[in-house]
Amino acid sequence: MKVAIWGVGLLGGSIGYILKKKKWSDKVIGIGRNSSKLEKAVSLNAIDEYMIELDDRLSEIDILVLSVPVKLMPNLVKRALPYLKKGAIITDVGSTKEYITKEIENILPKDIYFVGGHPMAGSEKTGVEALDPYLFENAIYVLTKTKNTNLSAFEKVKEMVKKLDSTLLELDVEIHDLAVASISHLPHILASSLVNTANDISNNNQNIILSLAAGGFRDTTRIAAGSPEMWRDICLTNRDKILYAIDKFKKELSNFEENIKNGNEEMLTALFRNGKEVRDKIPQRRKGILSPMIELIVFVPDKPGIIGDITKILGRNNINIKDIEVLHIRENYGGSIRVGFDVNKENEKAEEVLKNAGFEVKELK
Amino acid sequence: MKVAIWGVGLLGGSIGYILKKKKWSDKVIGIGRNSSKLEKAVSLNAIDEYMIELDDRLSEIDILVLSVPVKLMPNLVKRALPYLKKGAIITDVGSTKEYITKEIENILPKDIYFVGGHPMAGSEKTGVEALDPYLFENAIYVLTKTKNTNLSAFEKVKEMVKKLDSTLLELDVEIHDLAVASISHLPHILASSLVNTANDISNNNQNIILSLAAGGFRDTTRIAAGSPEMWRDICLTNRDKILYAIDKFKKELSNFEENIKNGNEEMLTALFRNGKEVRDKIPQRRKGILSPMIELIVFVPDKPGIIGDITKILGRNNINIKDIEVLHIRENYGGSIRVGFDVNKENEKAEEVLKNAGFEVKELK
């Protein structure tokens, strides 16, 4: 397989690296605008060679992977089409699918195929320097199908996705976009609206309100810190689904509003209870932690090295910590630490050895 | 000082324990309904003695602390008033202030005083067994003033709050309730509405949508997992401020909605950017961590004891970890860990020793 990757950053670079390493692809060509970044990608084994201006090497390509902002994709495809051979496949890694699928299917000749993709993987790092051989491992990788999808092209992209060790999920374009509108785009818009609201009210009240908003409020609105340009594009390329989700949301919010106005105790309890029940059912596991965890709370004095003491005790007993978080530590006085273990009796052993070492421990339900 | 605490759970029990321990109070009487829990409180030194039925011992009391759900408070005050001596002070620890202040000021005789309070402290534990001598340390403890507030009573409660090692903040009742409506109650209602919305859309689409909602969505909606009854009461006792905040929020959301509808790129970017800027300015420190932290990301292989290795290296170099969190670990392959340090060159030393030990480290901005 010969692959071209347009946009060799974290995602594109990781795809190239893995496909080369696993020898699924005997040639990976990078396409981009910045030759020093593309040189870097070559030196990191993310790609074999690169082009800044498109040339005939593109006609050897079996799969072209688009790893650039969604809004740029249609134009790049237009530029690539004259070079692509019959049977070539185009796929993308964009986070909205209906817009790009329609745009590309509209301009695609019959014998070149498109399969939309969305790997739900990311990192706190960016750029090809951050390429990660395990970026996609256990992450959900959505491939979308339409009535125009060529099935053997779909199977080929599926094969590529499996090489990345992702968990494949086939979805309709519409369902995909509705899903990300509901669980990603709407939450982001709400977080931004919430921050803007609190800021507005605070500005009208001696700025005292936001100054109280440490900790929890900051956590709740974490997603509002994303790139404004990226989120603008997401809104514009998933417009209808986002508007649908906002509309549904406004009805749910009005439901709360009406019942608060009328003081309807029963309905308010039911609304909050429904939210709690649904939320409690959402799977806790994160990407890469497929097995569920058991979590212990360890109460500790605050002294230098206390976290080291705990991890040393566990390490000495060959107990593997899957997750650890300081819940709160008071200076000079200590606090509590959450430690997660695999569900395989390790948690019981951990509880025992920590208690034997004099720590107060309880299981988190 | 003789103190009575009505409701001897985590908050009430911790208050009693600290005031006794610091000898600010030579007698603490617990009031409640469950004698075995009150016995437990006595054995834990949270209170000296207790009463189930009110009796003449209440007439010795200088301060009565109400640590029960807000909706129950007015009735309890009515029951207590006949026993209280002239000059006695009532204070509370409720999370909304206008409702209870009005209710109590309405029934209070001239020579008994009320000072509203709200300690912004909590724990993942509940009940008197969880009493914590340092629960309030560095936490903000709001005391509210009205035109009816007796200033010497206010000073007395202030003295009590300082004994708890809290950071005192004097606020008007209205500003307090508007602040908690904006930064606590509104976010909670939005999280519940969001979960209900996603559930609704998911139910109409083969339940596939919520099944994609692991990790981030779960984190964003964490607050929706609170007690439905408590949140119902909060809505009912902070009705006007919450409705005001919802109204402001709906306007912010409509702003997004309109600009998505019209495809107004500039305005959308500006709205997201404003949210990002405000959010980035919110102080990161949590309760108890007054000094800001510097955070490092350490990239690690996943092997038993790897967290122990890191903490050992830091401990050996006398570097104190203030916070630690596993960002993501892939089974068999590793991942990254976030470690927080005091801003006092410890972070630089930490970066150095970890790099010397062969770890890839970068500072989190």
Side-chain angles (χ1 to χ4, degrees):
Chain A
M1 296 292 296
K2 300 201 186 331
V3 175
I5 297 173
W6 205 324
V8 191
L10 170 71
L11 281 174
S14 299
I15 292 174
Y17 180 90
I18 300 167
L19 297 182
K20 270 164 57 64
K21 180 132 191 175
K22 297 206 175 170
K23 302 196 194 309
W24 190 73
S25 179
D26 53 338
K27 188 188 263 185
V28 176
I29 303 176
I31 313 175
R33 286 174 305 186
N34 184 322
S35 60
S36 72
K37 285 188 186 168
L38 289 160
E39 289 285 359
K40 181 85 188 162
V42 171
S43 73
L44 291 169
N45 290 318
I47 54 178
D48 294 297
E49 52 192 76
Y50 64 88
M51 51 179 90
I52 308 266
E53 298 296 328
L54 301 187
D55 63 45
D56 277 343
R57 283 175 288 167
L58 251 192
S59 61
E60 301 167 34
I61 286 304
D62 300 295
I63 296 191
L64 169 62
V65 181
L66 304 172
S67 185
V68 296
V70 173
K71 294 277 278 179
L72 303 180
M73 289 179 183
N75 197 39
L76 301 193
V77 169
K78 270 179 215 158
R79 286 169 53 198
L81 280 181
Y83 296 91
L84 293 179
K85 68 177 179 189
K86 280 185 187 181
I89 301 167
I90 300 171
T91 187
D92 78 310
V93 299
S95 54
T96 62
K97 296 268 64 74
E98 191 176 12
Y99 164 85
I100 190 61
T101 303
K102 277 190 181 160
E103 291 282 324
I104 293 186
E105 286 187 350
N106 270 339
I107 55 175
L108 223 50
K110 267 201 175 148
D111 47 10
I112 294 180
Y113 310 117
F114 176 70
V115 178
H118 179 200
M120 293 181 166
S123 164
E124 60 285 351
K125 303 197 279 187
T126 57
V128 72
E129 304 79 10
L131 79 82
D132 179 346
Y134 311 109
L135 185 65
F136 306 99
E137 194 183 46
N138 298 333
I140 290 175
Y141 199 124
V142 173
L143 290 182
T144 54
K145 250 182 199 165
T146 72
K147 59 179 174 21
N148 304 314
T149 301
N150 176 287
L151 292 186
S152 72
F154 191 86
E155 287 306 312
K156 194 48 91 182
V157 179
K158 222 163 119 172
E159 207 185 272
M160 182 188 92
V161 165
K162 285 188 177 161
K163 275 287 155 199
L164 302 175
D165 285 337
S166 322
T167 305
L168 179 77
L169 184 66
E170 296 183 27
L171 286 180
D172 287 338
V173 167
E174 298 245 335
I175 294 274
H176 170 274
D177 281 8
L178 186 59
V180 289
S182 309
I183 64 177
S184 168
H185 308 167
L186 176 63
H188 191 97
I189 292 165
L190 298 181
S192 295
S193 302
L194 170 59
V195 166
N196 291 350
T197 304
N199 187 43
D200 223 48
I201 298 181
S202 195
N203 284 343
N204 295 335
N205 291 278
Q206 307 132 45
N207 291 308
I208 204 140
I209 287 167
L210 267 188
S211 72
L212 286 170
F217 186 82
R218 201 172 188 278
D219 291 345
T220 312
T221 55
R222 173 168 297 133
I223 46 174
S227 150
E229 291 74 20
M230 189 184 91
W231 282 98
R232 172 201 64 204
D233 285 356
I234 284 174
C235 285
L236 297 173
T237 60
N238 199 16
R239 194 175 154 276
D240 294 347
K241 300 296 182 293
I242 291 175
L243 290 174
Y244 174 82
I246 289 178
D247 198 59
K248 283 270 186 191
F249 174 85
K250 282 165 80 177
K251 283 178 188 134
E252 292 290 341
L253 181 58
S254 294
N255 219 339
F256 273 100
E257 194 182 17
E258 284 311 308
N259 285 297
I260 292 171
K261 244 176 218 160
N262 306 332
N264 190 332
E265 302 199 7
E266 255 174 65
M267 273 303 293
L268 275 175
T269 315
L271 286 172
F272 281 120
R273 181 166 299 137
N274 187 54
K276 178 177 168 55
E277 282 171 5
V278 173
R279 196 264 166 193
D280 286 347
K281 271 187 288 184
I282 296 171
Q284 199 163 5
R285 64 180 167 78
R286 283 176 271 181
K287 170 184 177 285
I289 302 174
L290 276 184
S291 43
M293 280 196 305
I294 297 246
E295 295 175 305
L296 299 181
I297 302 288
V298 187
F299 299 93
V300 298
D302 180 32
K303 53 172 198 185
I306 189 67
I307 298 173
D309 290 350
I310 290 174
T311 56
K312 239 181 291 175
I313 291 164
L314 296 171
R316 204 187 295 141
N317 287 277
N318 288 316
I319 299 167
N320 197 12
I321 299 173
K322 299 305 290 182
D323 201 0
I324 186 167
E325 178 189 15
V326 175
L327 294 180
H328 58 134
I329 288 277
R330 283 174 295 273
E331 298 192 61
N332 309 321
Y333 292 109
S336 51
I337 294 173
R338 182 181 59 75
V339 193
F341 304 94
D342 271 340
V343 184
N344 58 6
K345 301 286 179 196
E346 282 215 323
N347 60 298
E348 288 172 21
K349 199 173 156 200
E351 197 168 338
E352 191 193 317
V353 299
L354 288 171
K355 278 182 174 164
N356 287 344
F359 288 104
E360 188 190 341
V361 181
K362 72 164 199 168
E363 193 178 320
L364 191 68
K365 305 281 181 187
Chain B
M1 297 292 296
K2 299 201 186 329
V3 175
I5 298 174
W6 205 324
V8 190
L10 169 70
L11 280 175
S14 298
I15 292 174
Y17 180 90
I18 300 167
L19 297 182
K20 271 165 56 65
K21 179 132 191 174
K22 296 206 174 171
K23 300 196 194 311
W24 190 73
S25 178
D26 54 337
K27 189 187 262 186
V28 177
I29 303 177
I31 312 175
R33 286 174 306 186
N34 184 321
S35 60
S36 74
K37 285 188 185 167
L38 289 160
E39 288 285 359
K40 181 83 189 163
V42 171
S43 74
L44 291 168
N45 290 318
I47 54 176
D48 295 296
E49 54 190 74
Y50 65 87
M51 51 179 90
I52 309 266
E53 299 295 329
L54 302 187
D55 63 42
D56 278 343
R57 283 176 288 167
L58 252 192
S59 61
E60 299 168 33
I61 286 304
D62 300 294
I63 296 191
L64 170 62
V65 180
L66 304 173
S67 184
V68 298
V70 172
K71 296 276 280 180
L72 303 179
M73 289 179 184
N75 198 38
L76 300 192
V77 169
K78 270 180 213 156
R79 285 169 55 198
L81 280 181
Y83 295 92
L84 293 178
K85 69 178 179 189
K86 281 185 188 180
I89 301 167
I90 300 171
T91 186
D92 78 311
V93 299
S95 54
T96 62
K97 295 267 65 75
E98 191 177 9
Y99 164 86
I100 190 62
T101 302
K102 277 190 179 158
E103 290 283 324
I104 293 186
E105 286 187 351
N106 269 340
I107 55 175
L108 224 50
K110 269 204 175 146
D111 48 9
I112 294 181
Y113 311 116
F114 175 72
V115 178
H118 179 199
M120 293 181 167
S123 165
E124 61 284 353
K125 304 197 278 187
T126 56
V128 72
E129 304 78 9
L131 81 82
D132 180 345
Y134 311 109
L135 185 64
F136 305 100
E137 195 185 46
N138 298 334
I140 290 176
Y141 198 124
V142 173
L143 291 181
T144 53
K145 250 183 199 165
T146 72
K147 59 180 174 19
N148 304 314
T149 301
N150 176 288
L151 292 186
S152 71
F154 192 86
E155 288 304 313
K156 194 49 90 182
V157 178
K158 223 163 120 172
E159 206 185 273
M160 183 187 91
V161 165
K162 285 188 176 162
K163 275 288 154 199
L164 302 175
D165 284 337
S166 322
T167 303
L168 179 77
L169 183 66
E170 297 184 27
L171 286 180
D172 287 339
V173 167
E174 298 244 334
I175 294 275
H176 169 274
D177 281 8
L178 186 59
V180 289
S182 309
I183 63 175
S184 168
H185 308 167
L186 176 63
H188 191 97
I189 291 165
L190 298 181
S192 295
S193 302
L194 170 60
V195 167
N196 290 350
T197 303
N199 188 43
D200 224 48
I201 298 180
S202 195
N203 284 343
N204 295 335
N205 290 280
Q206 308 132 45
N207 291 309
I208 205 140
I209 286 166
L210 266 188
S211 73
L212 286 171
F217 186 80
R218 200 170 189 279
D219 291 345
T220 312
T221 55
R222 173 168 297 134
I223 46 174
S227 152
E229 291 74 19
M230 189 184 91
W231 282 97
R232 172 200 65 205
D233 285 355
I234 283 175
C235 285
L236 298 173
T237 60
N238 198 17
R239 194 175 154 276
D240 295 347
K241 299 297 183 291
I242 290 175
L243 290 173
Y244 173 83
I246 290 178
D247 197 59
K248 284 268 186 193
F249 174 85
K250 283 165 78 177
K251 283 177 188 135
E252 292 289 342
L253 181 59
S254 295
N255 220 339
F256 274 100
E257 195 182 17
E258 284 310 308
N259 285 297
I260 293 171
K261 242 176 221 160
N262 306 332
N264 190 332
E265 303 199 6
E266 256 175 64
M267 273 304 293
L268 275 175
T269 316
L271 287 172
F272 281 121
R273 181 164 299 137
N274 187 54
K276 178 177 167 56
E277 282 171 5
V278 172
R279 196 264 168 194
D280 287 346
K281 271 187 287 185
I282 296 170
Q284 200 164 4
R285 63 179 168 78
R286 286 175 270 182
K287 171 186 176 285
I289 302 175
L290 276 184
S291 43
M293 280 196 304
I294 296 245
E295 294 174 305
L296 299 181
I297 301 288
V298 187
F299 299 94
V300 298
D302 181 31
K303 54 172 199 186
I306 188 67
I307 298 173
D309 290 350
I310 291 174
T311 57
K312 239 183 289 175
I313 290 164
L314 296 171
R316 202 188 295 140
N317 287 277
N318 288 316
I319 299 167
N320 197 12
I321 298 172
K322 298 305 292 182
D323 201 0
I324 186 166
E325 178 189 13
V326 176
L327 293 180
H328 58 133
I329 288 276
R330 285 174 295 273
E331 298 192 62
N332 309 320
Y333 294 107
S336 52
I337 293 173
R338 182 180 59 75
V339 193
F341 304 93
D342 271 340
V343 183
N344 58 6
K345 303 282 178 197
E346 282 215 324
N347 59 299
E348 289 174 20
K349 199 172 157 201
E351 198 167 336
E352 191 194 316
V353 299
L354 287 170
K355 279 182 174 165
N356 288 344
F359 288 104
E360 189 192 339
V361 180
K362 71 162 201 169
E363 193 178 320
L364 190 68
K365 303 281 180 186

